[in-house]
C-alpha cells in the first residue's frame, strides 16, 4: 500500500513539475506611433472634440438662415461672421459642419460599437465552441456578407424608413459580419496556443479561458480593426446621406451637405468642399493610425483585417 501511495505522489509531483514548464501568455508590449501616426491621432482628437463641443462653438444654429444669400464666401453681416460662407439656403457652412460632426461621427461610433458587441460575442463563441455552433453562425454570417452593404442599406431603409436608430441598427448588423470574421480567426488562433492548453490542463473553465486568455490577447488586433471598421461605417453613413436616405433634413450631416451644395461648385462656392474635406481628413487620419499600428506588429494584423 505504501508503495502505491509513493507512486501516486511521484506522479502528482511530475505533473506539477510539468505545469511549471508550460508557457505563460505573451507579455503585453507598449505601442509607439511614428510621427505620421501622432499627427493622425491629433486630427482624430480634434474631430472628437468637435463632436462634443461643436454645437456650442458654432456661431449659428444648423437650421438658421441668417445669410444674405446662398453660396456666399466668408463675410460678415448684422447677424455675425460666416467663416466658411453660406450654403444653398443661406445657412452658415461652418456651423453646419460643426453640428454635422456629431451626426456623422457620433452615429458611426455608436454603430461600430454595437457591431463589435455583436461580432465579438458571436465570433468568440464560434471559435471556442466549434462544431455545429461554428458552422451555423458562419453560414448565416457568410450569407449576409455576400450582399453589397449599400444594397442592403437601401433595401432596409426602403422597408423600415430612415431614422437615426434605424441607420445605427442597419450599419451595426452589416459590419458585425466583418467583425465576426476577424474575432473568429483570432479566437481560433489563440485557442490552439500553448498557454491556453496549459490553462485547460489546470482545469480552468471555458469562461475563465475566454475572459483571461482569449480576450486579452485579441484586444490589440480588435482595437486596431475597430479603427478600420469605423472608417467603413463613416463612409457607409455618408453614402446613404449623399443619396438622400441617411440623416434627414434639416439636420446637418456631412454626406447630405455634399449632395445639397454640389450645384454651388458652378458658382465657385466651397460649400460642398468643406464637408467632403471633413470626411476625408477624419477617415484618412484613422487609416493612418491603423496602418501605423499594423506596421509596428509586422503587418500581421493587416492580414486579418478583411
Amino acid at each position: 500500500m505504501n508503495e502505491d501511495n509513493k507512486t501516486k505522489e511521484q506522479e502528482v509531483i511530475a505533473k506539477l513539475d510539468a505545469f511549471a514548464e508550460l508557457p505563460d501568455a505573451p507579455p503585453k508590449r507598449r505601442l509607439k506611433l511614428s510621427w505620421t501616426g501622432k499627427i493622425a491621432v491629433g486630427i482624430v482628437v480634434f474631430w472628437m472634440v468637435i463632436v462634443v463641443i461643436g454645437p456650442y462653438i458654432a456661431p449659428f444654429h444648423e437650421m438658421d438662415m441668417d445669410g444674405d444669400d446662398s453660396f456666399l464666401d466668408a463675410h460678415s453681416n448684422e447677424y455675425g461672421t460666416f467663416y466658411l460662407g453660406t450654403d444653398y439656403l443661406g445657412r452658415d457652412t461652418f456651423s453646419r459642419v460643426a453640428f454635422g460632426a456629431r451626426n456623422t461621427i457620433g452615429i458611426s461610433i455608436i454603430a461600430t460599437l454595437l457591431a463589435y458587441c455583436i461580432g465579438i460575442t458571436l465570433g468568440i463563441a464560434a471559435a471556442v465552441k466549434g462544431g455545429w455552433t461554428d458552422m451555423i453562425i458562419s453560414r448565416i454570417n457568410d450569407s449576409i456578407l455576400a450582399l453589397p452593404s449599400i444594397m442592403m442599406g437601401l433595401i432596409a431603409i426602403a422597408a423600415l424608413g430612415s431614422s437615426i436608430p434605424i441607420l445605427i441598427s442597419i450599419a451595426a448588423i452589416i459590419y458585425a459580419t466583418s467583425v465576426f470574421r476577424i474575432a473568429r480567426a483570432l479566437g481560433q488562433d489563440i485557442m490552439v496556443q500553448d498557454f491556453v492548453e496549459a490553462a485547460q490542463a489546470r482545469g480552468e473553465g471555458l469562461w475563465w479561458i475566454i475572459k483571461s486568455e482569449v480576450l486579452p490577447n485579441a484586444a490589440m488586433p480588435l482595437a486596431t480593426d475597430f479603427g478600420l471598421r469605423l472608417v467603413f461605417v463613416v463612409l457607409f453613413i455618408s453614402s446613404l446621406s449623399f443619396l438622400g436616405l441617411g440623416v434627414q433634413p434639416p439636420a446637418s450631416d456631412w454626406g447630405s451637405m455634399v449632395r445639397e451644395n454640389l450645384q454651388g461648385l458652378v458658382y465657385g462656392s466651397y460649400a460642398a468642399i468643406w464637408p467632403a474635406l471633413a470626411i476625408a481628413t477624419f477617415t484618412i487620419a484613422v487609416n493612418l493610425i491603423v496602418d501605423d499600428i499594423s506596421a509596428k506588429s509586422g503587418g500581421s494584423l493587416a492580414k486579418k483585417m478583411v
Side-chain angles (χ1 to χ4, degrees):
M1 183 66 68
N2 291 333
E3 293 180 357
D4 293 339
N5 291 335
K6 290 181 179 180
T7 303
K8 291 180 180 180
E9 290 178 359
Q10 291 174 353
E11 291 177 356
V12 171
I13 293 173
K15 289 181 179 179
L16 292 175
D17 292 339
F19 286 155
E21 297 175 358
L22 289 173
D24 295 326
K28 306 297 184 296
R29 294 178 297 178
R30 295 184 63 183
L31 179 64
K32 295 182 179 180
L33 296 174
S34 65
W35 65 269
T36 306
K38 292 177 181 177
I39 293 175
V41 169
I43 295 173
V44 172
V45 170
F46 166 78
W47 282 119
M48 296 305 297
V49 171
I50 295 298
V51 169
V52 177
I53 69 172
Y56 303 103
I57 65 173
F60 303 93
H61 192 269
E62 60 181 335
M63 302 178 189
D64 291 343
M65 292 183 284
D66 292 328
D68 300 319
D69 200 355
S70 60
F71 298 129
L72 293 178
D73 295 331
H75 70 289
S76 300
N77 64 10
E78 64 272 18
Y79 298 105
T81 302
F82 299 84
Y83 298 103
L84 300 180
T86 60
D87 69 354
Y88 78 113
L89 291 178
R91 297 172 296 191
D92 181 40
T93 303
F94 174 78
S95 298
R96 287 184 63 78
V97 169
F99 273 89
R102 178 168 293 185
N103 285 330
T104 302
I105 299 178
I107 290 173
S108 300
I109 290 176
I110 294 173
T112 307
L113 288 172
L114 183 57
Y116 263 73
C117 290
I118 299 171
I120 291 177
T121 301
L122 296 178
I124 297 298
V128 172
K129 295 294 289 184
W132 284 98
T133 302
D134 183 17
M135 188 181 71
I136 292 173
I137 298 176
S138 297
R139 296 297 78 78
I140 295 174
N141 185 80
D142 292 342
S143 63
I144 298 175
L145 196 61
L147 299 174
S149 58
I150 290 294
M151 181 184 296
M152 285 190 63
L154 294 176
I155 293 172
I157 290 175
L160 303 174
S162 180
S163 66
I164 290 179
I166 290 176
L167 286 175
I168 293 174
S169 301
I170 292 171
I173 293 173
I174 290 174
Y175 288 97
T177 57
S178 300
V179 178
F180 169 85
R181 292 184 65 182
I182 184 173
R184 176 177 175 270
L186 289 169
Q188 289 178 330
D189 288 346
I190 295 170
M191 285 300 294
V192 297
Q193 297 297 319
D194 292 339
F195 55 85
V196 174
E197 294 181 356
Q200 292 173 335
R202 292 196 305 267
E204 303 291 354
L206 184 60
W207 171 245
W208 188 94
I209 292 174
I210 293 174
K211 180 185 67 173
S212 303
E213 302 289 4
V214 178
L215 290 179
N217 287 283
M220 180 56 72
L222 289 173
T224 307
D225 182 72
F226 181 89
L228 187 65
R229 216 59 57 190
L230 176 61
V231 170
F232 292 156
V233 176
V234 169
L235 296 177
F236 175 74
I237 297 296
S238 298
S239 298
L240 290 178
S241 297
F242 183 83
L243 296 173
L245 298 173
V247 178
Q248 296 300 302
S252 58
D253 171 82
W254 290 346
S256 60
M257 288 179 65
V258 174
R259 174 181 58 86
E260 293 168 349
N261 297 300
L262 278 178
Q263 55 184 325
L265 296 175
V266 179
Y267 306 104
S269 172
Y270 294 99
I273 300 298
W274 299 121
L277 187 62
I279 295 172
T281 54
F282 181 76
T283 55
I284 291 172
V286 175
N287 265 319
L288 288 175
I289 296 172
V290 172
D291 290 343
D292 202 21
I293 296 174
S294 181
K296 296 297 182 182
S297 65
S300 59
L301 300 181
K303 296 176 182 178
K304 294 184 174 66
M305 294 180 196
V306 293

